[in-house]
Short mmCIF file of all heavy atoms in Angstrom, two decimals:
data_model
loop_
_atom_site.label_atom_id
_atom_site.label_comp_id
_atom_site.label_asym_id
_atom_site.label_seq_id
_atom_site.Cartn_x
_atom_site.Cartn_y
_atom_site.Cartn_z
N SER A 71 -11.60 6.44 10.33
CA SER A 71 -12.70 7.40 10.49
C SER A 71 -12.24 8.86 10.42
O SER A 71 -13.08 9.77 10.49
CB SER A 71 -13.41 7.16 11.82
OG SER A 71 -12.48 7.25 12.90
N ARG A 72 -10.95 9.11 10.28
CA ARG A 72 -10.49 10.51 10.25
C ARG A 72 -11.06 11.22 9.02
O ARG A 72 -10.94 10.73 7.90
CB ARG A 72 -8.97 10.61 10.22
CG ARG A 72 -8.49 12.06 10.37
CD ARG A 72 -7.02 12.25 10.07
NE ARG A 72 -6.16 11.66 11.07
CZ ARG A 72 -4.85 11.94 11.17
NH1 ARG A 72 -4.31 12.82 10.32
NH2 ARG A 72 -4.11 11.36 12.08
N PRO A 73 -11.67 12.40 9.19
CA PRO A 73 -12.21 13.13 8.04
C PRO A 73 -11.11 13.53 7.05
O PRO A 73 -9.98 13.81 7.45
CB PRO A 73 -12.85 14.37 8.67
CG PRO A 73 -13.06 14.02 10.11
CD PRO A 73 -11.95 13.08 10.47
N VAL A 74 -11.46 13.59 5.80
CA VAL A 74 -10.50 13.98 4.77
C VAL A 74 -9.88 15.34 5.10
O VAL A 74 -8.68 15.55 4.89
CB VAL A 74 -11.18 14.01 3.39
CG1 VAL A 74 -10.24 14.60 2.35
CG2 VAL A 74 -11.63 12.62 2.97
N ALA A 75 -10.68 16.26 5.64
CA ALA A 75 -10.19 17.60 5.95
C ALA A 75 -9.05 17.59 6.96
O ALA A 75 -8.25 18.53 7.02
CB ALA A 75 -11.33 18.46 6.47
N GLU A 76 -8.95 16.53 7.76
CA GLU A 76 -7.91 16.45 8.79
C GLU A 76 -6.69 15.64 8.33
O GLU A 76 -5.79 15.38 9.13
CB GLU A 76 -8.49 15.86 10.07
CG GLU A 76 -9.57 16.74 10.69
CD GLU A 76 -10.15 16.14 11.96
OE1 GLU A 76 -9.54 15.19 12.50
OE2 GLU A 76 -11.22 16.61 12.39
N VAL A 77 -6.67 15.25 7.07
CA VAL A 77 -5.50 14.57 6.50
C VAL A 77 -4.57 15.65 5.96
O VAL A 77 -4.94 16.39 5.04
CB VAL A 77 -5.90 13.59 5.39
CG1 VAL A 77 -4.67 12.94 4.76
CG2 VAL A 77 -6.85 12.53 5.94
N THR A 78 -3.38 15.75 6.52
CA THR A 78 -2.52 16.89 6.20
C THR A 78 -1.83 16.77 4.85
O THR A 78 -1.42 17.78 4.28
CB THR A 78 -1.44 17.07 7.29
OG1 THR A 78 -0.70 15.85 7.42
CG2 THR A 78 -2.10 17.41 8.62
N ASP A 79 -1.68 15.56 4.34
CA ASP A 79 -0.96 15.38 3.07
C ASP A 79 -1.71 14.40 2.19
O ASP A 79 -1.32 13.24 2.05
CB ASP A 79 0.46 14.89 3.34
CG ASP A 79 1.32 14.78 2.08
OD1 ASP A 79 0.86 15.26 1.02
OD2 ASP A 79 2.41 14.21 2.15
N VAL A 80 -2.79 14.86 1.58
CA VAL A 80 -3.60 13.99 0.73
C VAL A 80 -2.81 13.57 -0.51
O VAL A 80 -2.89 12.42 -0.95
CB VAL A 80 -4.92 14.69 0.33
CG1 VAL A 80 -5.73 13.82 -0.62
CG2 VAL A 80 -5.74 15.01 1.58
N LEU A 81 -2.02 14.48 -1.06
CA LEU A 81 -1.22 14.14 -2.23
C LEU A 81 -0.22 13.03 -1.90
O LEU A 81 -0.02 12.11 -2.70
CB LEU A 81 -0.48 15.38 -2.74
CG LEU A 81 0.39 15.16 -3.99
CD1 LEU A 81 -0.44 14.64 -5.16
CD2 LEU A 81 1.12 16.45 -4.37
N GLY A 82 0.40 13.10 -0.74
CA GLY A 82 1.33 12.05 -0.33
C GLY A 82 0.63 10.71 -0.15
O GLY A 82 1.19 9.66 -0.50
N LEU A 83 -0.58 10.75 0.37
CA LEU A 83 -1.37 9.52 0.54
C LEU A 83 -1.70 8.90 -0.81
O LEU A 83 -1.57 7.69 -1.01
CB LEU A 83 -2.66 9.86 1.30
CG LEU A 83 -3.66 8.72 1.52
CD1 LEU A 83 -3.05 7.61 2.36
CD2 LEU A 83 -4.92 9.28 2.19
N VAL A 84 -2.10 9.73 -1.75
CA VAL A 84 -2.42 9.26 -3.09
C VAL A 84 -1.18 8.71 -3.79
O VAL A 84 -1.24 7.67 -4.47
CB VAL A 84 -3.06 10.41 -3.91
CG1 VAL A 84 -3.09 10.08 -5.39
CG2 VAL A 84 -4.47 10.70 -3.40
N ALA A 85 -0.06 9.38 -3.61
CA ALA A 85 1.20 8.90 -4.21
C ALA A 85 1.58 7.53 -3.66
O ALA A 85 2.05 6.65 -4.40
CB ALA A 85 2.31 9.91 -3.98
N LEU A 86 1.39 7.34 -2.36
CA LEU A 86 1.70 6.05 -1.74
C LEU A 86 0.76 4.97 -2.27
O LEU A 86 1.18 3.83 -2.52
CB LEU A 86 1.60 6.16 -0.22
CG LEU A 86 1.86 4.86 0.55
CD1 LEU A 86 3.25 4.31 0.24
CD2 LEU A 86 1.68 5.09 2.05
N ALA A 87 -0.52 5.31 -2.44
CA ALA A 87 -1.47 4.34 -2.99
C ALA A 87 -1.02 3.85 -4.36
O ALA A 87 -1.06 2.65 -4.65
CB ALA A 87 -2.86 4.98 -3.08
N ARG A 88 -0.56 4.76 -5.18
CA ARG A 88 -0.09 4.37 -6.51
C ARG A 88 1.17 3.52 -6.43
O ARG A 88 1.29 2.53 -7.15
CB ARG A 88 0.15 5.61 -7.38
CG ARG A 88 0.65 5.27 -8.79
CD ARG A 88 0.44 6.42 -9.73
NE ARG A 88 1.23 6.31 -10.94
CZ ARG A 88 0.93 5.56 -12.00
NH1 ARG A 88 -0.17 4.81 -11.99
NH2 ARG A 88 1.70 5.54 -13.06
N ARG A 89 2.09 3.88 -5.56
CA ARG A 89 3.31 3.09 -5.43
C ARG A 89 3.00 1.66 -4.97
O ARG A 89 3.58 0.70 -5.48
CB ARG A 89 4.28 3.75 -4.44
CG ARG A 89 4.93 5.02 -4.96
CD ARG A 89 6.21 5.35 -4.21
NE ARG A 89 6.01 5.47 -2.78
CZ ARG A 89 5.63 6.59 -2.16
NH1 ARG A 89 5.37 7.69 -2.88
NH2 ARG A 89 5.51 6.63 -0.86
N LEU A 90 2.09 1.53 -4.03
CA LEU A 90 1.74 0.20 -3.52
C LEU A 90 1.10 -0.67 -4.58
O LEU A 90 1.46 -1.84 -4.75
CB LEU A 90 0.78 0.33 -2.33
CG LEU A 90 1.36 0.58 -0.95
CD1 LEU A 90 0.23 0.64 0.07
CD2 LEU A 90 2.36 -0.50 -0.57
N ILE A 91 0.14 -0.11 -5.30
CA ILE A 91 -0.57 -0.93 -6.28
C ILE A 91 0.31 -1.24 -7.49
O ILE A 91 0.24 -2.33 -8.06
CB ILE A 91 -1.91 -0.26 -6.68
CG1 ILE A 91 -2.87 -1.32 -7.26
CG2 ILE A 91 -1.72 0.91 -7.62
CD1 ILE A 91 -4.30 -0.83 -7.40
N LEU A 92 1.19 -0.31 -7.85
CA LEU A 92 2.15 -0.59 -8.93
C LEU A 92 3.11 -1.71 -8.53
O LEU A 92 3.45 -2.57 -9.34
CB LEU A 92 2.94 0.67 -9.29
CG LEU A 92 2.29 1.67 -10.23
CD1 LEU A 92 3.13 2.94 -10.32
CD2 LEU A 92 2.09 1.07 -11.61
N ALA A 93 3.54 -1.70 -7.27
CA ALA A 93 4.47 -2.72 -6.80
C ALA A 93 3.85 -4.10 -6.80
O ALA A 93 4.57 -5.10 -6.87
CB ALA A 93 4.96 -2.36 -5.39
N ASN A 94 2.52 -4.16 -6.74
CA ASN A 94 1.84 -5.45 -6.62
C ASN A 94 1.15 -5.91 -7.90
O ASN A 94 0.65 -7.03 -7.95
CB ASN A 94 0.80 -5.39 -5.50
CG ASN A 94 1.43 -5.50 -4.13
OD1 ASN A 94 1.86 -6.57 -3.71
ND2 ASN A 94 1.50 -4.38 -3.41
N ARG A 95 1.12 -5.08 -8.92
CA ARG A 95 0.30 -5.41 -10.08
C ARG A 95 0.77 -6.67 -10.81
O ARG A 95 -0.03 -7.33 -11.49
CB ARG A 95 0.24 -4.24 -11.06
CG ARG A 95 1.51 -3.96 -11.81
CD ARG A 95 1.34 -2.84 -12.80
NE ARG A 95 2.55 -2.67 -13.59
CZ ARG A 95 2.70 -1.73 -14.52
NH1 ARG A 95 1.71 -0.90 -14.78
NH2 ARG A 95 3.83 -1.64 -15.19
N ASP A 96 2.04 -7.02 -10.69
CA ASP A 96 2.56 -8.20 -11.38
C ASP A 96 2.78 -9.38 -10.43
O ASP A 96 3.34 -10.40 -10.82
CB ASP A 96 3.88 -7.87 -12.09
CG ASP A 96 3.70 -6.80 -13.15
OD1 ASP A 96 2.67 -6.83 -13.85
OD2 ASP A 96 4.58 -5.93 -13.27
N ARG A 97 2.31 -9.25 -9.18
CA ARG A 97 2.47 -10.31 -8.20
C ARG A 97 1.16 -11.08 -8.03
O ARG A 97 0.08 -10.49 -8.10
CB ARG A 97 2.84 -9.74 -6.82
CG ARG A 97 4.21 -9.10 -6.74
CD ARG A 97 4.37 -8.43 -5.38
NE ARG A 97 5.70 -7.88 -5.18
CZ ARG A 97 5.99 -6.94 -4.29
NH1 ARG A 97 5.04 -6.47 -3.51
NH2 ARG A 97 7.22 -6.49 -4.17
N THR A 98 1.27 -12.36 -7.77
CA THR A 98 0.07 -13.13 -7.44
C THR A 98 -0.27 -13.03 -5.96
O THR A 98 -1.41 -13.23 -5.56
CB THR A 98 0.24 -14.61 -7.82
OG1 THR A 98 1.41 -15.12 -7.17
CG2 THR A 98 0.40 -14.76 -9.32
N GLU A 99 0.73 -12.72 -5.13
CA GLU A 99 0.53 -12.50 -3.70
C GLU A 99 0.75 -11.03 -3.39
O GLU A 99 1.82 -10.49 -3.64
CB GLU A 99 1.50 -13.36 -2.89
CG GLU A 99 1.32 -14.86 -3.05
CD GLU A 99 0.12 -15.39 -2.29
OE1 GLU A 99 -0.37 -14.67 -1.38
OE2 GLU A 99 -0.31 -16.52 -2.58
N ARG A 100 -0.27 -10.37 -2.83
CA ARG A 100 -0.17 -8.94 -2.54
C ARG A 100 0.65 -8.73 -1.27
O ARG A 100 0.40 -9.36 -0.24
CB ARG A 100 -1.57 -8.35 -2.38
CG ARG A 100 -1.60 -6.84 -2.23
CD ARG A 100 -3.01 -6.32 -2.13
NE ARG A 100 -3.76 -6.57 -3.36
CZ ARG A 100 -4.80 -7.38 -3.45
NH1 ARG A 100 -5.23 -8.03 -2.39
NH2 ARG A 100 -5.42 -7.54 -4.60
N ILE A 101 1.62 -7.81 -1.33
CA ILE A 101 2.51 -7.55 -0.20
C ILE A 101 2.54 -6.04 0.06
O ILE A 101 2.81 -5.25 -0.84
CB ILE A 101 3.95 -8.04 -0.49
CG1 ILE A 101 3.95 -9.53 -0.80
CG2 ILE A 101 4.87 -7.74 0.69
CD1 ILE A 101 5.26 -10.02 -1.39
N THR A 102 2.27 -5.65 1.30
CA THR A 102 2.36 -4.23 1.65
C THR A 102 3.41 -3.98 2.73
O THR A 102 3.72 -2.83 3.03
CB THR A 102 1.00 -3.71 2.15
OG1 THR A 102 0.57 -4.51 3.26
CG2 THR A 102 -0.05 -3.77 1.04
N THR A 103 3.96 -5.04 3.31
CA THR A 103 4.94 -4.91 4.38
C THR A 103 6.38 -4.99 3.88
O THR A 103 7.32 -4.67 4.62
CB THR A 103 4.75 -6.02 5.43
OG1 THR A 103 4.92 -7.29 4.78
CG2 THR A 103 3.37 -5.94 6.07
N GLY A 104 6.55 -5.48 2.66
CA GLY A 104 7.89 -5.75 2.16
C GLY A 104 8.39 -7.13 2.52
O GLY A 104 9.50 -7.51 2.13
N ASN A 105 7.57 -7.89 3.24
CA ASN A 105 7.93 -9.24 3.66
C ASN A 105 7.05 -10.24 2.94
O ASN A 105 5.83 -10.26 3.14
CB ASN A 105 7.76 -9.39 5.18
CG ASN A 105 8.35 -10.68 5.72
OD1 ASN A 105 8.45 -11.68 5.01
ND2 ASN A 105 8.74 -10.66 6.99
N ALA A 106 7.63 -11.07 2.09
CA ALA A 106 6.86 -11.98 1.26
C ALA A 106 6.45 -13.27 1.96
O ALA A 106 5.71 -14.06 1.41
CB ALA A 106 7.66 -12.33 0.00
N ARG A 107 6.91 -13.47 3.19
CA ARG A 107 6.54 -14.71 3.89
C ARG A 107 5.05 -14.72 4.20
O ARG A 107 4.48 -13.71 4.59
CB ARG A 107 7.34 -14.85 5.20
CG ARG A 107 8.81 -15.20 4.99
CD ARG A 107 9.45 -15.51 6.32
NE ARG A 107 9.41 -14.36 7.22
CZ ARG A 107 9.63 -14.43 8.53
NH1 ARG A 107 9.90 -15.59 9.10
NH2 ARG A 107 9.60 -13.34 9.27
N ARG A 108 4.44 -15.88 4.02
CA ARG A 108 3.01 -16.01 4.29
C ARG A 108 2.72 -15.64 5.74
O ARG A 108 3.48 -15.97 6.64
CB ARG A 108 2.55 -17.44 4.01
CG ARG A 108 1.03 -17.59 3.90
CD ARG A 108 0.66 -18.95 3.33
NE ARG A 108 1.14 -19.12 1.98
CZ ARG A 108 0.52 -18.68 0.90
NH1 ARG A 108 -0.60 -17.99 1.03
NH2 ARG A 108 1.02 -18.90 -0.30
N SER A 109 1.63 -14.93 5.93
CA SER A 109 1.17 -14.39 7.22
C SER A 109 1.93 -13.14 7.63
O SER A 109 1.63 -12.53 8.66
CB SER A 109 1.25 -15.43 8.35
OG SER A 109 2.55 -15.52 8.89
N MET A 110 2.90 -12.71 6.81
CA MET A 110 3.66 -11.50 7.12
C MET A 110 3.45 -10.41 6.05
O MET A 110 4.15 -9.41 6.06
CB MET A 110 5.16 -11.83 7.22
CG MET A 110 5.51 -12.78 8.35
SD MET A 110 5.19 -12.07 9.99
CE MET A 110 6.42 -10.76 10.03
N GLN A 111 2.51 -10.59 5.17
CA GLN A 111 2.40 -9.73 3.99
C GLN A 111 1.61 -8.46 4.21
O GLN A 111 1.68 -7.54 3.40
CB GLN A 111 1.80 -10.54 2.84
CG GLN A 111 2.68 -11.72 2.43
CD GLN A 111 1.93 -12.73 1.58
OE1 GLN A 111 0.73 -12.90 1.70
NE2 GLN A 111 2.66 -13.43 0.72
N SER A 112 0.82 -8.38 5.30
CA SER A 112 0.02 -7.18 5.54
C SER A 112 0.27 -6.64 6.94
O SER A 112 0.68 -7.37 7.85
CB SER A 112 -1.47 -7.48 5.36
OG SER A 112 -1.91 -8.42 6.32
#
């Protein structure tokens, strides 16, 4: 719920979004934690 105006580094947030989705685009299982074990991926 934090307003966009109170996000101090929007560019960094956008850069992270791109890195995450690029890292997962060729995977069948989406991982955001770096841990591929089931139930540990988010």
